[in-house]
Amino acid sequence: MALADEYGEFQEVKERNLRILEALLFASAEPLSVAQMTGFLGEGADAAALLTELAERYASRGVNLVSRGDKWAFRTAEDLGFLLRREEEDNRPLSRAALETLAIIAYHQPATRAEIEEVRGVATGKGTIDLLMEAGWVRMRGRRRTPGRPVTYGTTDAFLDHFGLEALSDLPGLEELKGAGLLSSRLPSSMQIPLPLDGPLREDEDPLDPDDTDGSDIDDDEAR
């Protein structure tokens, strides 16, 4: 009987923690990390395991619990997305240059502006990268340990969330990328797809300086 009571108490605590996670995720406008939610749970709770179980419970519902990088969020089930899609006017649609730049950063990160230009074959205006950063899809990672110490760029969790990707490994393959009309004839033969890195800084990257706010290279001429 004592064992049954102990099991019942365990289930009660687990269900309470699941409800807490559910409430936190529904109330949040942005995806949440495990660390952000752990503090709201009981002592010793395994937040990662609880999130996995909660995701399974919602797998067949109208909304699904999905992971976006290292964060979690509720999103409309893919097969029902058309029901809730609203007609929205985009006042600043992405240009082809911005789309190409985003694709290069996504597949070849960490990438410098000079490396982006090498793949595209044309100069990339700073405003193009600024636009992607304002959208929250691109971030400055660090500085490359090469002459001029150019800034390296990578994608964000918001990029994964917007395009419905759990991780960068879910990016479309080379043939799909060509089918979309991006980088059709500009990929160097040595470039592998996908070849992204969104983790810690590489050995050839230094942390950003405290005064790095605009992503300017220390010496653009040398960086190129």
Side-chain angles (χ1 to χ4, degrees):
M1 186 66 178
L3 183 60
D5 290 342
E6 185 176 339
Y7 177 76
E9 182 179 350
F10 169 79
Q11 287 295 108
E12 183 179 342
V13 172
K14 186 178 77 167
E15 289 300 322
R16 181 175 183 276
N17 283 328
L18 286 169
R19 293 181 66 225
I20 290 173
L21 291 175
E22 188 176 34
L24 289 171
L25 290 161
F26 266 118
S28 177
E30 303 292 337
L32 298 174
S33 67
V34 172
Q36 288 175 297
M37 293 180 279
T38 298
F40 293 91
L41 305 177
E43 184 178 354
D46 187 342
L50 288 168
L51 286 164
T52 299
E53 180 170 339
L54 193 60
E56 292 174 354
R57 294 189 181 187
Y58 274 88
S60 61
R61 300 185 183 179
V63 292
N64 300 152
L65 179 57
V66 298
S67 61
R68 295 291 182 255
D70 64 347
K71 298 184 178 181
W72 293 78
F74 279 113
R75 294 291 181 261
T76 304
E78 289 187 10
D79 61 322
L80 299 178
F82 72 96
L83 294 174
L84 302 180
R85 188 173 297 123
R86 297 177 298 176
E87 294 296 329
E88 296 181 350
E89 181 179 353
D90 190 348
N91 294 324
R92 297 190 65 184
L94 288 182
S95 64
R96 181 178 180 84
L99 286 172
E100 289 184 352
T101 299
L102 179 60
I104 294 169
I105 292 174
Y107 282 92
H108 206 215
Q109 58 187 294
T112 66
R113 184 152 57 94
E115 291 166 345
I116 295 169
E117 292 175 352
E118 181 180 357
V119 175
R120 292 192 65 226
V122 295
T124 299
K126 183 174 178 298
T128 299
I129 296 179
D130 286 344
L131 178 63
L132 296 173
M133 292 180 65
E134 289 173 8
W137 297 343
V138 167
R139 65 184 176 92
M140 295 187 292
R141 286 176 45 92
R143 286 191 178 275
R144 185 67 51 78
R145 293 179 184 174
T146 55
R149 298 186 64 230
V151 170
T152 56
Y153 296 95
T155 54
T156 65
D157 286 342
F159 166 82
L160 296 177
D161 191 30
H162 182 83
F163 290 97
L165 305 171
E166 289 192 13
L168 289 174
S169 57
D170 294 326
L171 282 166
L174 179 58
E175 294 305 316
E176 293 173 276
L177 192 63
K178 288 182 177 180
L182 297 175
L183 316 179
S184 57
S185 61
R186 298 172 180 168
L187 291 173
S189 58
S190 61
M191 185 175 178
Q192 300 178 17
I193 299 294
L195 188 59
L197 172 71
D198 64 346
L201 295 178
R202 299 193 319 189
E203 292 183 358
D204 62 350
E205 289 181 286
D206 286 322
L208 292 170
D209 299 325
D211 58 350
D212 273 324
T213 57
D214 61 0
S216 298
D217 293 344
I218 293 177
D219 184 338
D220 280 342
D221 291 335
E222 288 187 41
R224 293 167 188 272

